[in-house]
Amino acid sequence: MLKKIGIIGGGYIGGVLVQEVVRRRLARVVAVTDPAPFVNPNDPQDKQDVTRKQSVAKGKALDILAGNPLVSSDVRIEAGRDYDILAGCEMVINTAGVPRKARPDGTFPSREELLSINLKVTVQVADAIAKFCKDAMVLSIANPLDAIVYTLYKKLNPPKNKIVGMAGVLDSTRYRYFVAEAAGVSVDNVEALVLGGHGDDMVPVRSCCRIAGMPVEKFLSKDKLDAIETRTRKAGGEVVGLLGFGSAFVSPAFSALEMAEAMIFDRKKILASCALLQGEYGINNLFVGVPVMLGAGGVEKVIEVDLNDAEKAALAKSVEGVKKTCAEVDTMLK
Ligand code: APR
């Protein structure tokens, strides 16, 4: 159990995170900070005064705390609009920023199209971490995932083991679920790995997919697996299209919690995560999704998977996309 964990952004993902931190007793105190509802300077003063007194973070906190007796939890919540409640956090999970949302015509933006708005948010978040909990382990979820983690790294310059992004666990769990469903087996029996950037070019690695230790091809045809891998790459968009109001929030929160628990309880779990590569996979100074060992030291090890030529080429293509978005970050930060 940590003494204190911070959740930055108390929206859909942030809300599930706070609820689960309380229920799983991951820290004695959870701090959740969110500026919403945003005060509109064009509103009449009395309306601005009302809005300023409201707080999504405080509202969610009270709602969750009121349920504490039903889950036997004495975890405390500190909540508010300001960042100072992050003081003393040993770990922060960043969810601040806008999600993808379906347009009236049913189309929706790519994660990369969120960059310009979410970069501004991320700069504020980085300043807050630097000011109030500079030694905290940083686990980031906001999109475009790889570029936002890169931005936090550029702004905070932490040791590379202390910053990691959540996407590979989510992409891999989607792959696992679709395989389990198609094969008619328990999700517990399916192991899967998705590498690369958290975009539509991510790389589900079929050679690493196993059902009860056996190659997945023993259970599912090539055509079925092709379709599952295509669906996995676009699974985030499938949810955006169905929800209408935003993007997936339960499975992303659970994926981040899987990573957080591995670190909090020093489990040495190998999980696909967005980590800084310095030569591994022939990639330098970029954050990309690869298997890493997560323990009390954060990202304790990067593991290099043996890939076949097609998988190597697919990873190279995905990394090109990450590189392009990070180049945009470099330009915008100037
Ligand atoms: N500091 C802290 N929180 C902020 C800031 C900021 N500067 N700017 C916005 N937020 C808050 C918003 O007020 C909102 O409550 O971030 C929260 C984001 O929550 P949602 O809009 O509900 O989005 P969510 O579904 O939780 O996704 C958050 O994760 O998966 C990604 O693409 C997704 O980038 C998005 C992020």
Side-chain angles (χ1 to χ4, degrees):
M1 186 185 234
L2 296 178
K3 285 195 192 114
K4 188 167 176 182
I5 190 168
I7 309 296
I8 308 178
Y12 280 100
I13 298 179
V16 177
L17 287 173
V18 177
Q19 172 192 325
E20 286 297 312
V21 166
V22 165
R23 200 178 63 81
R24 301 181 192 198
R25 300 175 194 83
L26 301 184
R28 276 177 232 157
V29 180
V30 50
V32 54
T33 172
D34 194 309
F38 293 92
V39 180
N40 182 349
N42 300 321
D43 280 345
Q45 195 55 46
D46 53 345
K47 181 144 191 258
Q48 287 189 39
D49 292 344
V50 171
T51 312
R52 200 166 286 113
K53 279 190 203 133
Q54 295 172 330
S55 163
V56 159
K58 284 191 175 172
K60 288 200 180 184
L62 182 56
D63 186 23
I64 293 166
L65 284 171
N68 265 10
L70 303 174
V71 293
S72 295
S73 179
D74 288 305
V75 172
R76 288 185 290 119
I77 306 179
E78 291 174 8
R81 289 169 156 277
D82 300 319
Y83 291 125
D84 56 352
I85 56 172
L86 296 175
C89 286
E90 295 149 285
M91 177 184 288
V92 290
I93 307 184
N94 171 41
T95 77
V98 296
R100 292 195 287 171
K101 193 173 169 182
R103 304 182 185 105
D105 66 358
T107 62
F108 48 85
S110 69
R111 296 183 183 89
E112 290 70 26
E113 286 173 78
L114 305 175
L115 180 64
S116 57
I117 176 150
N118 284 352
L119 187 87
K120 289 187 196 117
V121 170
T122 305
V123 168
Q124 291 173 7
V125 168
D127 289 344
I129 295 171
K131 186 163 177 197
F132 295 109
C133 54
K134 66 176 173 45
D135 295 325
M137 176 75 212
V138 177
L139 169 49
S140 190
I141 304 181
N143 275 314
L145 189 278
D146 313 273
I148 294 297
V149 180
Y150 175 81
T151 307
L152 288 168
Y153 179 74
K154 283 249 146 173
K155 295 287 297 175
L156 291 165
N157 201 20
K160 67 175 181 178
N161 60 309
K162 296 202 82 168
I163 178 159
V164 68
M166 185 300 293
V169 174
L170 173 61
D171 300 327
S172 305
T173 201
R174 285 172 168 157
Y175 191 15
R176 285 174 69 190
Y177 173 70
F178 298 144
V179 164
E181 187 193 34
V185 302
S186 165
V187 291
D188 283 348
N189 282 143
V190 184
E191 212 187 344
L193 175 66
V194 178
L195 296 180
H198 185 49
D200 290 353
D201 286 331
M202 66 180 75
V203 187
V205 184
R206 192 175 302 180
S207 61
C208 292
C209 189
R210 294 270 191 282
I211 296 185
M214 292 169 269
V216 69
E217 291 98 330
K218 191 176 164 71
F219 296 83
L220 294 172
S221 68
K222 181 181 174 306
D223 287 352
K224 275 218 167 109
L225 285 166
D226 286 346
I228 285 172
E229 288 158 11
T230 301
R231 188 177 181 195
T232 299
R233 285 191 203 95
K234 296 174 189 281
E238 191 177 341
V239 177
V240 174
L242 288 167
L243 283 178
F245 64 80
S247 61
F249 56 97
V250 176
S251 51
F254 280 24
S255 300
L257 289 159
E258 174 87 352
M259 296 170 70
E261 285 189 335
M263 294 185 271
I264 294 167
F265 300 117
D266 193 22
R267 294 194 68 188
K268 315 284 185 205
K269 258 198 176 177
I270 296 173
L271 295 169
S273 309
C274 178
L276 181 64
L277 300 185
Q278 291 179 316
E280 300 92 342
Y281 294 88
I283 299 165
N284 263 306
N285 298 323
L286 273 188
F287 282 83
V288 175
V290 293
V292 305
M293 185 186 283
L294 295 179
V299 180
E300 296 186 353
K301 201 187 276 181
V302 171
I303 290 138
E304 294 198 61
V305 190
D306 295 326
L307 300 173
N308 62 37
D309 286 346
E311 290 162 347
K312 276 185 194 155
L315 180 61
K317 184 175 177 217
S318 176
V319 170
E320 272 316 301
V322 175
K323 214 183 254 177
K324 186 168 162 273
T325 319
C326 290
E328 288 174 38
V329 170
D330 287 335
T331 310
M332 290 180 195
L333 286 181
K334 267 184 201 150

